[in-house]
Amino acid sequence: KEMNLEERFQQYVDAENKVEPKDWMPEKYRKTLIRQISQHAHSEVVGMLPEANWITRAPSLRRKVALLAKVQDEAGHGLYLYSAAETLAADRMDMVEDLLSGKAKYSSIFNYPTPTWADIGAIGWLVDGAAIANQVMLCRTSYGPYARAMVKICKEESFHQRQGYEITMTLAQGSPVQKQMAQDALNRWWWPSLMMFGPTDDASPNSAQSMKWKIKRKSNDELRQEFIDKTVPQAEFLGLTIPDKDLKWNEETGHYEHGEIDWEEFYNVIKGNGKCNKQRLIARNKAHDDGAWVREAANAYAEKEAERRKK
Ligand code: FAQ
């Protein structure tokens, strides 16, 4: 019996082949990738905001240089990812407009405030730590351009994670007040970091199909568990306490068990009602408006060049 296109596609993916832009793909595969990649791109771009808040107030030149480099890397990640989405025939202006209007999702984590310098440590250590767990898996995603973008992004993310861990370590080994700052930041960022991995597997509507198509190679809960198992010993090393009274090591499974995640908070944040959702969109809209002259100049130049080529 002749296989239909969808069956052949599944077989191709099952054999660990990469799907490339000009290959045939099911329409839902294309749509799912555009959804995930554009959300990922928006997260990188909005993710610059909580940290940019501290560039002018970094406590030393060395810290400032590292933070500037990190935030610039995030702009670059956003650009690779928008380009990867464009290979699927998504229009960049449509994606940007959906972000600016509040229609598109971006990671819940970037809707939390950064009141102290210790938050910059916590973001690098925890948020980039969670991002790496997720993105190492995405280096093997079935869509070629996304997988290749992830390889470079992961290298940069591991520098970001080290940068954050080192800030936190310096504070944790400092004065009692500095150690308390590090602890407070851990208290505020721990639970939102666990929410970055998305809803539990049984409440994740996109997971089953994305796993089947090898867009996702590990489930939300598996990745969350990996992150917890990796991070708890790091907190112990720093002499900081994970803010979860139910956290305990399970000798039999070889994993940490954790307390209940507040999913109501998660859904509230992704609906737009987190502490900083409004502020983030205002900042992105202002940046877009302030950059209008650059787009106009680039378009005028492109038109002039096209005219010149015609002559
Ligand atoms: N926030 O069915 P699932 C970074 C949505 S790292 C907001 O499980 P899926 C680096 C989900 O979109 C952060 N929304 O969905 C950095 C879906 O909504 P939809 C970015 C979330 O796609 C570090 C609905 O809930 N990383 O930026 C979240 O199979 C430091 C149901 O969920 C990525 O985007 C959430 N946390 O799995 C930058 C990685 N979780 O579209 C600066 C790529 C779920 O149906 C500083 N993305 N939702 O309306 C992925 O791997 C996946 O999309 C998941 C979600 C795992 C995030």
Side-chain angles (χ1 to χ4, degrees):
K1 189 175 136 239
E2 210 175 298
M3 263 194 290
N4 67 27
L5 283 171
E6 293 230 7
E7 284 165 352
R8 209 179 301 166
F9 177 82
Q10 186 64 53
Q11 211 172 55
Y12 183 80
V13 166
D14 286 341
E16 296 294 333
N17 293 302
K18 292 277 179 255
V19 179
E20 297 298 338
K22 288 183 176 162
D23 294 343
W24 184 89
M25 60 187 86
E27 188 53 19
K28 185 146 183 289
Y29 178 86
R30 196 178 71 82
K31 288 256 164 65
T32 298
L33 275 167
I34 291 175
R35 177 186 65 79
Q36 179 170 323
I37 298 173
S38 63
Q39 287 176 0
H40 195 166
H42 299 328
S43 302
E44 296 283 356
V45 170
V46 177
M48 296 162 77
L49 297 170
E51 297 174 293
N53 181 33
W54 278 95
I55 291 174
T56 55
R57 292 176 288 157
S60 69
L61 182 63
R62 180 171 166 266
R63 293 292 187 211
K64 184 167 175 150
V65 168
L67 184 59
L68 257 179
K70 177 183 194 289
V71 173
Q72 284 176 348
D73 286 348
E74 279 146 14
H77 298 174
L79 296 179
Y80 303 155
L81 287 162
Y82 285 126
S83 300
E86 283 177 317
T87 66
L88 293 154
D91 183 88
R92 178 162 327 199
M93 276 319 293
D94 290 346
M95 293 187 273
V96 171
E97 266 159 30
D98 286 350
L99 172 66
L100 296 177
S101 71
K103 187 175 159 212
K105 287 197 173 78
Y106 59 85
S107 184
S108 51
I109 193 76
F110 302 118
N111 294 304
Y112 291 84
T114 44
T116 77
W117 173 250
D119 293 292
I120 302 306
I123 289 181
W125 173 30
L126 304 171
V127 177
D128 284 281
I132 292 170
N134 170 275
Q135 290 171 167
V136 163
M137 145 193 89
L138 292 174
C139 292
R140 295 187 298 117
T141 192
S142 56
Y143 187 57
Y146 193 24
R148 290 188 290 273
M150 282 299 123
V151 174
K152 183 156 190 272
I153 291 179
C154 280
K155 288 184 189 161
E156 295 177 349
E157 299 285 23
S158 53
F159 149 66
H160 299 171
Q161 200 269 350
R162 294 294 292 267
Q163 174 260 3
Y165 192 69
E166 208 225 348
I167 291 173
T168 308
M169 184 151 64
T170 305
L171 291 171
Q173 292 170 350
S175 67
V177 174
Q178 287 171 320
K179 186 166 181 186
Q180 191 56 47
M181 274 171 73
Q183 182 63 53
D184 288 346
L186 172 58
N187 294 351
R188 280 182 283 110
W189 290 89
W190 176 252
W191 292 102
S193 298
L194 299 189
M195 294 174 198
M196 281 176 74
F197 296 95
T200 53
D201 293 349
D202 53 8
S204 162
N206 301 297
S207 275
Q209 186 60 65
S210 288
M211 296 282 281
K212 189 158 180 249
W213 276 329
K214 300 189 192 289
I215 292 173
K216 286 163 84 165
R217 315 286 311 231
K218 287 182 183 176
S219 78
N220 298 2
D221 287 331
E222 267 178 273
L223 288 171
R224 188 168 14 247
Q225 186 66 53
E226 259 180 33
F227 170 74
I228 294 170
D229 290 345
K230 184 182 72 177
T231 310
V232 174
Q234 294 173 349
E236 280 167 5
F237 179 80
L238 294 171
L240 299 177
T241 309
I242 303 277
D244 177 358
K245 61 179 175 20
D246 297 319
L247 187 77
K248 62 169 188 288
W249 176 250
N250 183 325
E251 195 67 55
E252 270 170 40
T253 61
H255 295 294
Y256 284 94
E257 286 168 10
H258 62 86
E260 195 71 41
I261 294 171
D262 183 355
W263 292 112
E264 208 181 302
E265 174 179 323
F266 171 77
Y267 288 112
N268 202 35
V269 171
I270 66 174
K271 262 188 258 152
N273 304 319
K275 287 201 178 92
C276 299
N277 296 59
K278 289 193 183 69
Q279 189 183 324
R280 300 293 181 242
L281 282 193
I282 290 170
R284 278 317 309 157
N285 275 286
K286 181 174 186 305
H288 189 76
D289 295 344
D290 289 350
W293 70 272
V294 180
R295 291 188 297 279
E296 279 161 23
N299 283 337
Y301 180 75
E303 272 168 32
K304 228 160 100 184
E305 282 294 290
E307 275 303 313
R308 200 170 294 159
R309 247 175 276 131
K310 262 193 241 157
K311 279 179 195 157

